[in-house]
Amino acid sequence: GGIIMAVKQLERQDWTKDGRKWIFYDYIKNLDGTRRKYKSKKFFTKPEALKAEREFLTTNTERADKDRNMTFKDLYTLFYAYKEDKVKFTTLKTYRDRQKFFKNLENVKLKDFNIEHFEKWKKEINSYGYTTNHKNHLFKFFKELLNYATKWYNFNFTATYNKMTNFTNPNEIPKEMLFFTYDEFKKFISVEDNILYKTMYETLYYCGLRRGELRGLTWNDIDFKNSYLSVNKNVVATRGDEDKSYMVTTPKTKSSVRNIPISKVLLDDLKELYRVSNNHYGFNNSWYVFGDTEPITNGKIRCRKNKNCELAEVKQIRIHDFRHSCASLLINSGATINVVAKYLGHTKIDETLNTYSHLFKNQMNEIINIIDNLN
């Protein structure tokens, strides 16, 4: 029904070198009723082209029927399978975790999807008490699913898509970013007498590493001669934080691969830790700096931190907040945004600006001083 087919012989100049000269083309209906042209590859003989055309038709009609009844659950499954060999393990894990947010849409057919469905979904997400930021991550992901359906299965959501708006909450109080000032960090580190942990928290604070980057450091990554460390791996917990199971992946983004200079305090402690580690049986430079043949677990990093915060009587911050503390230290000491971005391994400086804009406010007043001094 409604498919115009044709097999034809091409003009001489369009034959392939080895003499393939027959093609078939046809107009296939999109799911929304519009049509698009399909042109086959080239064949040697007319019967060959006709046979291929028949196969194409059958599979296409079958597929079209299947696609026409595709539900959100089907879409999610297809999307996941497509992404499986294209994104990082951690990203896939996020996709798996997000499936639960689409439970209520599972049986909705894509061809029936409309703005009411979306508004209902939004209401549901709003009931969970997430931050606006987190909700908009889910919204962005929703759009990614629809875009996938558009690109690979020719659905057309334009009418609904244009009405979909993101989450806003003008009354939301932005969450305070927690970090240690230099004095707080000094207090925190003063209660730590174990060289492994002391060096570890110093590395987090002075180098601003992400947790997985810290866990991924091996002694091969430490250049004692030129005093820098090289970030080139990421260790990800595959099960719970306390669990020993992990996998080593590439860092978060291309820009995350970076060399970071090591300050003198940290360098001395790393040398000491190296000396201690060297005494362990079977030690070699491919051992993890914080660990042995295996990296230290997330649970250990966290427990020890909690204990130290109590002992030192400083506020509890997360491991990732050491990275914020590092950024804050750099910014307040007058480092430029470009340098901070490079140091933290951000891809674009707007990432740095968006995350740390409130810290740059202090530098605004300095501008007046600069101008005043000119006059």
Side-chain angles (χ1 to χ4, degrees):
I3 297 185
I4 303 159
M5 299 284 308
V7 168
K8 72 168 195 173
Q9 187 176 352
L10 295 165
E11 298 286 335
R12 185 69 222 231
Q13 74 260 19
D14 294 329
W15 295 7
T16 60
K17 279 200 183 68
D18 56 359
R20 288 176 231 244
K21 52 189 175 204
W22 288 89
I23 62 156
F24 69 84
Y25 62 87
D26 74 57
Y27 294 91
I28 356 180
K29 265 182 127 158
N30 289 328
L31 295 172
D32 57 359
T34 57
R35 296 187 318 173
R36 67 185 192 283
K37 189 172 181 171
Y38 173 87
K39 209 164 90 175
S40 76
K41 55 181 199 179
K42 300 168 188 178
F43 300 94
F44 287 113
T45 64
K46 188 174 182 176
E48 249 184 302
L50 280 165
K51 184 169 170 285
E53 177 194 53
R54 273 196 306 277
E55 279 166 15
F56 173 81
L57 254 186
T58 351
T59 57
N60 232 323
T61 330
E62 281 166 12
R63 215 195 86 182
D65 286 343
K66 211 166 110 261
D67 289 354
R68 213 166 258 122
N69 291 311
M70 190 189 292
T71 63
F72 263 93
K73 192 179 166 74
D74 299 332
L75 174 64
Y76 212 103
T77 313
L78 289 161
F79 174 80
Y80 190 86
Y82 173 74
K83 289 288 190 181
E84 213 149 3
D85 56 353
K86 297 178 188 62
V87 298
K88 281 202 158 53
F89 172 82
T90 40
T91 311
L92 275 183
K93 202 164 154 304
T94 307
Y95 292 161
R96 272 204 301 282
D97 296 344
R98 286 190 175 164
Q99 199 165 350
K100 59 175 181 284
F101 297 118
F102 294 88
K103 269 273 178 282
N104 291 337
L105 283 169
E106 273 190 354
N107 301 319
V108 173
K109 291 185 179 179
L110 295 188
K111 62 167 194 261
D112 302 330
F113 174 68
N114 61 39
I115 194 67
E116 276 78 41
H117 292 120
F118 176 71
E119 290 302 336
K120 210 171 133 189
W121 176 81
K122 222 170 153 176
K123 228 193 197 99
E124 183 206 340
I125 300 299
N126 267 328
S127 69
Y128 294 137
Y130 292 123
T131 62
T132 307
N133 193 16
H134 183 62
K135 291 191 284 199
N136 279 323
H137 275 298
L138 295 175
F139 173 62
K140 203 171 136 197
F141 179 68
F142 199 142
K143 291 199 294 190
E144 203 181 336
L145 282 173
L146 296 181
N147 290 341
Y148 174 79
T150 304
K151 182 175 172 190
W152 292 97
Y153 299 98
N154 297 294
F155 280 92
N156 182 353
F157 300 111
T158 322
T160 304
Y161 202 94
N162 291 341
K163 296 185 197 122
M164 287 166 56
T165 56
N166 62 356
F167 293 89
T168 54
N169 180 0
N171 305 320
E172 184 173 40
I173 298 161
K175 256 174 73 186
E176 250 324 292
M177 183 181 286
L178 280 183
F179 54 82
F180 279 161
T181 61
Y182 184 65
D183 292 338
E184 286 173 315
F185 175 71
K186 276 297 190 218
K187 263 169 95 173
F188 168 85
I189 209 74
S190 70
V191 302
E192 183 52 80
D193 47 15
N194 178 318
I195 187 66
L196 173 94
Y197 287 108
K198 180 167 189 273
T199 313
M200 186 175 73
Y201 295 121
E202 284 174 343
T203 306
L204 282 171
Y205 183 73
Y206 291 120
C207 301
L209 300 188
R210 299 178 178 97
R211 185 177 64 180
E213 294 170 344
L214 174 94
R215 295 178 70 205
L217 284 179
T218 62
W219 287 109
N220 284 323
D221 300 326
I222 311 289
D223 183 336
F224 284 111
K225 198 164 125 281
N226 302 304
S227 69
Y228 70 80
L229 61 83
S230 153
V231 175
N232 52 53
K233 300 180 283 305
N234 186 26
V235 168
V236 186
T238 46
R239 290 209 283 277
D241 268 3
E242 310 298 326
D243 202 86
K244 272 198 153 52
S245 56
Y246 67 95
M247 68 187 285
V248 182
T249 70
T250 51
K252 188 173 177 185
T253 59
K254 281 195 188 69
S255 324
S256 303
V257 178
R258 61 201 189 278
N259 290 333
I260 298 177
I262 302 173
S263 61
K264 191 165 168 357
V265 179
L266 179 54
L267 192 68
D268 291 343
D269 283 344
L270 277 165
K271 282 179 180 160
E272 174 62 13
L273 181 59
Y274 187 63
R275 207 180 51 72
V276 173
S277 306
N278 241 307
N279 297 329
H280 291 124
Y281 176 74
F283 174 83
N284 67 57
N285 280 346
S286 62
W287 273 30
Y288 289 97
V289 176
F290 307 109
D292 37 49
T293 53
E294 311 232 306
I296 188 168
T297 63
N298 284 334
K300 273 197 178 132
I301 305 177
R302 196 181 50 241
C303 287
R304 188 76 173 200
K305 181 258 311 164
N306 292 349
K307 203 181 108 196
N308 287 357
C309 286
E310 270 174 40
L311 272 173
E313 297 181 344
V314 290
K315 60 176 175 280
Q316 287 288 355
I317 66 172
R318 298 167 313 161
I319 293 302
H320 197 70
D321 294 323
F322 279 84
R323 180 168 161 85
H324 296 326
S325 305
C326 173
S328 155
L329 180 76
L330 297 175
I331 292 164
N332 288 325
S333 311
T336 63
I337 185 92
N338 307 36
V339 173
V340 178
K342 219 177 173 56
Y343 200 79
L344 294 175
H346 282 165
T347 308
K348 301 188 188 77
I349 65 168
D350 22 343
E351 196 180 338
T352 320
L353 271 175
N354 290 339
T355 315
Y356 302 112
S357 56
H358 58 291
L359 297 179
F360 282 99
K361 289 205 178 77
N362 318 339
Q363 296 190 358
M364 285 297 200
N365 306 327
E366 288 169 29
I367 293 175
I368 289 301
N369 301 338
I370 294 169
I371 296 170
D372 284 347
N373 287 334
L374 290 177
N375 297 327

